[in-house]
Amino acid sequence: MADYDFHQLSPDDLEILARDLLQAHWGVTIESFKTGKDGGIDLRYAAGSGKIIVQVKHFVRTGLAGLLRELAKEAAKVRRLKPTRYVLVTSVPLSAVNKDAIVALIGADVLTPSDVIGQEGLNNLLGQHPEIEGKHYKLWLASRAVLDRVLHNAAVTRSEFKARQVHEEARRYVQSGAYPQAQKMINEQRVVVVTGPPGVGKTTLANLLLYEHLARGFQAVVIQRDIEEGLSLFQPGTPQIFYFDDFMGATFLGDRSSALTGTSDKALLEFVAMVRSTPTARMVLTTREHIYSLAMIRSERLRHSDIDDLRVYLQMPSYSFAQKARILYNHLYFSDLPAEYQDELLRGDYYLRIIKHEKFNPRLIEWLSSFRRLRSVTVRDYRTFIDNLLRDPSEIWRHAYEQEVTDAGRSMLLVLFSMGGKAAGVALKPAFIRLHEHRARRYGFATRPEDFRSALREIAGTFIKPFGTHGVEVIDPSVLDLLNAIVRRIPENAIDVVAAAQNFDQIEHVWSFAKARSSGAVLDAFRHNDGPIAASVARCMTEARRIDMGNGSVGYRGPTFERRLKVIIDVADRLASPSIASLIAPLFARLQEEWVTERPDINGGVDAIRLLESTHSVDPVTLDGMTTAIKAALLEDIQDGCRSDELRELISVIDTSEAHPDSALSAARAAFDAYCGETFQEELRECRSREQFDGLVEDLELFRDELGVDVSSLLTRVEEAKGEFEEREDAYADHMQDEYKERWRDERASERSVSDMFGSLRGDRG
């Protein structure tokens, strides 16, 4: 018969176990039913007029005394529910006298001794239903009896410490779809390779597979250095499981300068083949996805082997909202975190913010629930610590970036940083080649013709993912957080990216980053390196935007020349750089050439005018000529048609006074007439919210006040359209009300069940 004390289970784990056991024993379907805090129902089975209510109480810490105190508080609530049958399940060991005391508390008319199921009763049910025991792997993996068996087998290979470590981890683990997939792989193929990005749970999954095999009588061979260790301990005929965590990091990154085509890959594949051909042998390996990709790129043997068929890939989308909640809950329940810290997470349901956060990651949860890492964090500052960790979890990625990614991989990531984390393939390759060659010259590393393709493969699935047809983007916002942090800490990276920029939009992006309040060191580095920056700007600033697409069609790339002028004026002023200031005039000349064939960028031109009005980098005579020329070009163009925002912005930088000798009033009025005839109706159709309608009204009122034009009929049309929109919105809201309510109920029900689960953290405190 089973003999568990159930200390390895959380209250939520115990409730699920009780539900599964009673369902199997009674042959019915029991629903998990939460009425909210202290509602009195954990599980319910209703048939006809009958209603069976089940409560599940854990009380690992305070035992029988805590259980009795809790039941004394809840007795009246249970009686108010008026169940036809009430069942109490608890992990506390109970004698006949204890059961009688519980019946006396609740009332003999509601509860009978046979419906009080304690630790012994649970073990009895497990003995009658072994399939339930097998399903709840944590129950037996983390039990004391299994630990004793595991330690006996682990001691043979001096792996006792590892076994105890996994025993502790098993209590916190939340099973995802990857666990049965990995079990199936290792059972059928005898070898499984677990890959994925940092912090996703690869080692934990591998640890549980190892531990499960130890419980089944396998000896553990924990490989620390290389395959030769496993080979020297291989014993045909003896059940053995070979465990190699981060096997490609250890095998292939020990000598970063060597290619992956030496004896290491050959030895690995031969050992894998030997394990797969030995019925008593098993093997579990883990590696980070970028290292796996790198190894596959560099080793022809690996590419032509079947090792990829043995791979189980972990990724964050594998976790549902409920699984994320259980990950956090289990880490907190089995942590050494003092009660006052846990209460901070419970206060105001703050834990929901963590569960729903886009950067949720099991390794982050391990950090925020480990008191060893929090000793310097006061209770008052605990939430701030978590907010900062969620906002910038870059430590998770930093080690891989600095120690495990190749120079080509880092060049690729820096290029993506300069492009805001996303790039089309046609733009990415030339930008990578220029930066990679620049960094190779500066830092003295070798390059190869295949570096671009190798870098993409190396970091695919770990740092980046595909988008569109040929583009790539960072796999998670925290990757961009890491790159931002690295550039702030080592501003030379920003100088490298700008100095080797392939196109002007990279310069524009990095300059915006350098101006940010938190990037002071980057701005200082720009001041001390204005020479290389000026050279790069000079090279990129006049690059043509127009692209002949064939078949008579054209396309455009990069920022407009008006925006480029704005950036260069800003850079010259902030850096007080004569070399960059000297580029303003030639770029302005190029801008004037552009106006011959292309329409001006109204908003970009207005921004340039504003900067010219305050610049110290252009002499007054040249400045006046530039400002006059830009205004004239914008006013001439805008009369052929414009949007309301363009006319609004232009009005803000021109003199519309009729008394002024150079008044632009007539041109602005002509632009308004063109707007009324060509663009107003289109903008009105594009309004999709009350705020957009109100914004259009504000623009029209500005035109009336500044230009002296009649906008009454336009305002009437806007108000009519807004009224029709609001009617449609109200009708749609009425039509969808039931759906909204149902969706809200579902979301609230999910959050409510999670809230009930986390509420149990307050109970059972001594």
Side-chain angles (χ1 to χ4, degrees), residues 363 366-368 370-377 385:
R363 189 171 295 175
E366 182 183 347
W367 272 62
L368 64 86
S370 171
F371 191 56
R372 174 176 59 83
R373 293 189 174 98
L374 298 172
R375 292 188 185 278
S376 61
V377 180
F385 168 83

Side-chain angles (χ1 to χ4, degrees), residues 353-590:
R353 168 176 165 78
I354 300 172
I355 296 166
K356 293 178 178 179
H357 202 280
E358 63 178 356
K359 296 176 184 176
F360 181 98
N361 183 295
R363 189 171 295 175
L364 282 179
I365 302 308
E366 182 183 347
W367 272 62
L368 64 86
S369 63
S370 171
F371 191 56
R372 174 176 59 83
R373 293 189 174 98
L374 298 172
R375 292 188 185 278
S376 61
V377 180
T378 65
V379 175
R380 184 180 60 185
D381 296 331
Y382 183 38
R383 285 196 181 191
T384 302
F385 168 83
I386 295 174
D387 286 338
N388 290 337
L389 189 63
L390 290 170
R391 183 167 54 250
D392 182 18
S394 57
E395 289 300 324
I396 288 178
W397 307 94
R398 186 182 300 278
H399 178 78
Y401 176 87
E402 293 179 346
Q403 302 297 326
E404 296 163 356
V405 174
T406 63
D407 290 311
R410 280 190 288 273
S411 293
M412 184 68 72
L413 288 168
L414 287 172
V415 167
L416 281 172
F417 157 77
S418 75
M419 295 178 167
K422 179 185 292 189
V426 67
L428 184 61
K429 186 172 183 178
F432 166 83
I433 291 172
R434 185 179 288 276
L435 176 61
H436 191 46
E437 291 178 348
H438 170 85
R439 294 179 70 245
R441 289 191 298 271
R442 185 173 182 185
Y443 304 116
F445 59 78
T447 64
R448 301 173 303 161
E450 62 269 25
D451 277 352
F452 174 73
R453 189 174 298 276
S454 297
L456 280 178
R457 288 176 179 169
E458 176 191 356
I459 62 177
T462 302
F463 288 95
I464 63 173
K465 61 184 178 181
F467 91 90
T469 306
H470 301 293
V472 298
E473 62 182 333
V474 294
I475 199 169
D476 184 273
S478 61
V479 174
L480 207 51
D481 291 343
L482 165 73
L483 296 173
N484 291 342
I486 285 173
V487 173
R488 288 190 188 100
R489 187 165 57 88
I490 309 175
E492 288 80 3
N493 285 309
I495 303 302
D496 287 342
V497 170
V498 172
Q502 174 69 18
N503 41 58
F504 197 87
D505 49 3
Q506 291 177 269
I507 296 173
E508 182 180 32
H509 178 82
V510 179
W511 175 244
S512 297
F513 175 81
K515 292 192 301 178
R517 184 176 300 177
S518 58
S519 303
V522 179
L523 196 59
D524 288 341
F526 270 57
R527 291 191 178 99
H528 291 96
N529 292 272
D530 64 328
I533 292 171
S536 181
V537 170
R539 173 170 46 80
C540 296
M541 70 181 188
T542 57
E543 179 188 34
R545 294 186 63 239
R546 186 185 178 102
I547 306 170
D548 185 356
M549 308 293 289
N551 299 320
S553 61
V554 297
Y556 294 88
R557 64 184 173 193
T560 64
F561 284 94
E562 289 85 356
R563 275 175 54 191
R564 298 181 199 188
L565 181 63
K566 166 193 163 186
V567 170
I568 293 178
I569 296 170
D570 194 26
V571 174
D573 285 346
R574 288 177 183 264
L575 302 187
S577 170
S579 59
I580 296 176
S582 68
L583 302 175
I584 295 175
L587 178 58
F588 179 71
R590 178 66 182 84

Side-chain angles (χ1 to χ4, degrees), residues 51-96:
K51 180 173 65 175
I52 301 175
I53 290 176
V54 181
Q55 276 195 306
V56 184
K57 303 291 185 183
H58 205 8
F59 289 88
V60 168
R61 300 181 178 98
T62 55
L64 180 64
L67 175 64
L68 292 175
R69 283 198 303 270
E70 180 71 12
L71 291 176
K73 298 176 187 176
E74 293 196 4
K77 297 174 187 174
V78 172
R79 296 180 66 82
R80 281 198 299 271
L81 292 170
K82 298 179 180 179
T84 54
R85 183 181 179 186
Y86 172 66
V87 179
L88 175 69
V89 180
T90 179
S91 59
V92 176
L94 300 175
S95 65

Side-chain angles (χ1 to χ4, degrees), residues 23 27 55 69 79 96 130 198 203 214 238 289 387 472 495 522 567 601 603 630 642 651 653 693 717 728 755 759:
Q23 283 185 152
Q55 276 195 306
R69 283 198 303 270
R79 296 180 66 82
T203 299
L214 289 173
T238 300
E289 184 67 17
D387 286 338
V472 298
I495 303 302
V522 179
V567 170
D601 171 10
N603 289 333
I630 295 174
C642 64
I651 287 174
V653 294
F693 282 108
R717 290 165 65 183
R728 290 195 303 270
S755 176

